[in-house]
Amino acid sequence: MAVINVSPADGKVIAEGPVGCLVDVCCDDFRHLDIGLPPEILRLKDAGYLSQAIEACDRLLAQDLDSSLAACVRAERYRMIETPLHFSVSRDRAIEMIREEWPEFTDEQFDDLIERKRIDWRFIDGELFVLDNFLDSLRVYPKEVPGLRPDSADGIALRNQMLEEMESQGGLSRTITLKASVSVPGALEGEAVRAWLPVAATCRQQSHIEVLDMTSEGTVASEDASARTASWTSSTKHSFSVTYRYQIDAAYRDIYGGALPAHPCMDAPLPEDTSEDRPHIAFTPYLRQLTERVIDGLEDPLDCARAIYDYLTQHIDYRYQPPYLLLGSIADDCAHSLRGDCGVMALTFITMCRIAGVPARWQSGLYVAPDSVGPHDWAEFYTPQTGWLNADVSFGSSARRMGEEWRRRHYFGNLDPWRMVANCRFQAGFEPVFNGMREDPYDNQMGEASVDGRGCRQREMLRTVELIEMLEVPFSD
């Protein structure tokens, strides 16, 4: 099969050679990242000598290793192979790209943005390379880069109107119909293509789920699967789609406004909701110290969760991230760097809540606005007096950035009806099991595919999700 690269400029599909992950690595290997590389390999990796570090990994893997160390080395080796694909813009090219919009931009201004952690970068073979979508991160804070075109403000007024209605009415409900699709245009005749597309799962706020249409010979995982998908295996088809409808109910509670009514909970926390899930939900020394400081003097679980949310939304800046498989200990790194995206912030909130003894868990899927649909992650937390509630830290951080304190407060305890929940656990496996290495070993929002057991990379798949219909329906808590 041929590698498929889709040019964002013209949509052309270009063949580039063998497809899929040809490295002997699997998703479970990424559970062992905290084992750590041997120091001599780690020094090469940290210095950016990735080719030498990969060769050192190969020599080590040829030996009889402990299974956990071997898994870590395989995962780290794969991360080093992937790094240059995403940190691909040289310093000179990055400055040139900024000057295409802002001619007066100087080298010194670029160095200042690097120093202030506004641009994510890596050293590769002695040269600084920045993340390929660094311009998107810069546009989030237009005052810092006044010469760049700012992010579009389309949809903000409509969103705020929806949130105001939700707060005034005590909640909103929507019935939403989505169509998701994935294709592997480079698959050759006779090759076995497997595909998985996320679909709505039964959860606290989501119900009345119907699969309306899907490519033939597919199966749908159970409604309560940790990562619910529709899936197919075929030697003749290369494109797959599923259309589904669901109801989303978004109750509103003023968590900052005083006493809350008791809320019965039919879904009690599990032991895993208060435990580590390494390597990314890890109770590191710094996170323990930070959490202790943030909740100092507080005993009520709701007060603790609110203090953690307040700290994160007021201190963490939104920045686009590389693929999560390139990140280290996600929550601990976020606490140190004070930057992240929706999933990074959600994991940090979950980790700190669990350290504080407040049950917390992952939710992810899609943010479904009337004018756009895209991947999104957030969190749930539990207190005895409220049951499970939601927290969307990245939306709260965004509200703080825009000076909308009311909206920042809204997203502690509440979401909105513009959601699709497909996943309730970070790094959940698929039903049926994925063979090979997933594009994203941690989450599933746009779909995955493999060819003859080799997991497809993002550039080898065409993936879309389309809003077919959104209907307002009466809300009942």
Side-chain angles (χ1 to χ4, degrees):
M1 171 177 167
V3 168
I4 295 302
N5 179 40
V6 180
S7 167
D10 55 22
K12 293 180 180 177
V13 178
I14 307 167
E16 293 186 344
V19 73
C21 171
L22 303 180
V23 181
D24 183 20
V25 64
C26 66
C27 295
D28 280 347
D29 288 340
F30 282 77
R31 297 184 181 277
H32 300 273
L33 285 174
D34 58 345
I35 296 296
L37 286 169
E40 62 277 6
I41 302 179
L42 183 61
R43 286 193 291 269
L44 288 170
K45 176 192 174 188
D46 288 346
Y49 296 115
L50 300 185
S51 297
Q52 295 180 42
I54 290 168
E55 292 173 359
C57 288
D58 290 339
R59 291 192 294 271
L60 187 60
L61 288 169
Q63 303 175 23
D64 183 18
L65 296 182
D66 170 78
S67 59
S68 295
L69 178 57
C72 173
V73 173
R74 287 193 298 268
E76 288 284 12
R77 180 185 185 278
Y78 182 72
R79 278 151 51 97
M80 287 186 275
I81 291 172
E82 288 285 304
T83 294
L85 301 178
H86 302 281
F87 289 88
S88 58
V89 181
S90 68
R91 180 182 186 276
D92 289 345
R93 175 55 184 151
I95 293 173
E96 179 183 326
M97 291 169 66
I98 295 175
R99 286 177 178 164
E100 289 173 1
E101 300 181 27
W102 186 5
E104 299 81 16
F105 185 76
T106 67
D107 290 14
E108 291 74 21
Q109 286 174 299
F110 181 84
D111 293 336
D112 180 62
L113 290 172
I114 291 285
E115 183 177 340
R116 293 191 292 112
K117 302 186 296 185
R118 297 318 193 207
I119 299 177
D120 200 356
W121 59 272
R122 299 288 189 277
F123 274 125
I124 300 176
D125 295 328
E127 184 177 354
L128 183 146
F129 286 85
V130 305
L131 191 61
D132 51 12
N133 64 349
F134 78 100
L135 281 176
D136 295 329
S137 277
L138 291 179
R139 295 187 207 282
V140 173
Y141 293 87
K143 291 182 180 179
E144 297 181 357
V145 284
L148 289 182
R149 292 190 300 269
D151 262 342
S152 170
D154 293 346
I156 290 179
L158 185 63
R159 177 207 63 201
N160 286 357
Q161 179 184 350
M162 176 269 296
L163 293 178
E164 290 169 359
E165 290 177 1
M166 179 178 168
E167 294 189 4
S168 65
Q169 298 177 25
L172 292 176
S173 295
R174 297 289 188 269
T175 295
I176 296 173
T177 304
L178 296 172
K179 180 180 181 179
S181 64
V182 59
S183 65
V184 189
L188 302 178
E189 183 178 354
E191 289 185 316
V193 177
R194 300 184 71 193
W196 293 257
L197 283 169
V199 295
T202 296
C203 60
R204 177 175 53 86
Q205 67 268 51
Q206 198 164 262
S207 61
H208 298 87
I209 300 164
E210 302 174 80
V211 174
L212 304 177
D213 186 38
M214 63 186 295
T215 302
S216 61
E217 300 179 7
T219 60
V220 181
S222 59
E223 286 196 356
D224 60 351
S226 296
R228 194 178 188 216
T229 62
S231 60
W232 300 263
T233 300
S234 177
S235 297
T236 58
K237 299 184 181 74
H238 300 165
S239 298
F240 309 89
S241 66
V242 58
T243 303
Y244 54 94
R245 178 189 298 137
Y246 62 97
Q247 180 171 317
I248 190 91
D249 299 304
Y252 174 71
R253 299 186 190 179
D254 184 1
I255 309 299
Y256 286 86
L260 290 171
H263 194 277
C265 178
M266 305 302 292
D267 179 14
L270 300 173
E272 65 193 47
D273 298 325
T274 54
S275 64
E276 292 183 289
D277 189 5
R278 301 179 73 91
H280 297 299
I281 302 177
F283 299 170
T284 63
Y286 179 61
L287 279 172
R288 288 180 184 273
Q289 293 174 21
L290 177 62
T291 303
E292 182 178 350
R293 178 170 65 82
V294 169
I295 66 169
D296 184 38
L298 302 176
E299 296 183 359
D300 181 83
L302 184 60
D303 291 338
C304 291
R306 179 166 41 213
I308 293 167
Y309 175 85
D310 286 346
Y311 173 81
L312 294 176
T313 54
Q314 291 165 356
H315 290 84
I316 307 297
D317 284 341
Y318 187 93
R319 295 289 169 186
Y320 287 90
Q321 299 290 295
Y324 284 8
L325 65 86
L326 296 185
L327 301 181
S329 181
I330 290 177
D332 188 71
D333 286 353
C334 177
H336 278 87
S337 69
L338 299 180
R339 65 183 181 188
D341 65 4
C342 57
V344 169
M345 294 189 203
L347 279 178
T348 308
F349 175 81
I350 290 167
T351 304
M352 292 179 69
C353 280
R354 291 184 183 185
I355 291 172
V358 179
R361 62 192 185 190
W362 174 266
Q363 275 193 341
S364 70
L366 300 171
Y367 184 67
V368 186
D371 57 349
S372 65
V373 182
H376 193 46
D377 312 317
W378 56 93
E380 287 187 295
F381 67 95
Y382 175 91
T383 74
Q385 76 250 46
T386 63
W388 288 100
L389 296 171
N390 287 103
D392 192 326
V393 182
S394 69
F395 276 22
S397 173
S398 169
R400 180 262 304 170
R401 182 178 77 240
M402 296 181 179
E404 297 179 350
E405 175 63 10
W406 70 272
R407 185 161 63 89
R408 189 192 72 83
R409 292 188 172 207
H410 175 99
Y411 282 109
F412 178 69
N414 308 286
L415 290 178
D416 50 60
W418 291 357
R419 308 275 164 152
M420 188 281 286
V421 184
N423 311 291
C424 65
R425 187 168 147 257
F426 193 68
Q427 204 167 357
F430 289 172
E431 300 176 9
V433 174
F434 187 95
N435 56 324
M437 179 67 198
R438 282 159 47 180
E439 164 67 20
D440 184 345
Y442 301 130
D443 205 7
N444 183 42
Q445 297 155 311
M446 295 297 292
E448 299 275 358
S450 69
V451 177
D452 281 351
R454 303 187 304 274
C456 294
R457 310 277 48 84
Q458 179 179 349
R459 65 188 182 277
E460 298 160 352
M461 299 179 284
L462 300 175
R463 300 180 293 181
T464 62
V465 59
E466 177 186 0
L467 174 61
I468 304 298
E469 185 179 58
M470 179 185 292
L471 300 175
E472 296 185 19
V473 295
F475 170 76
S476 59
D477 192 358

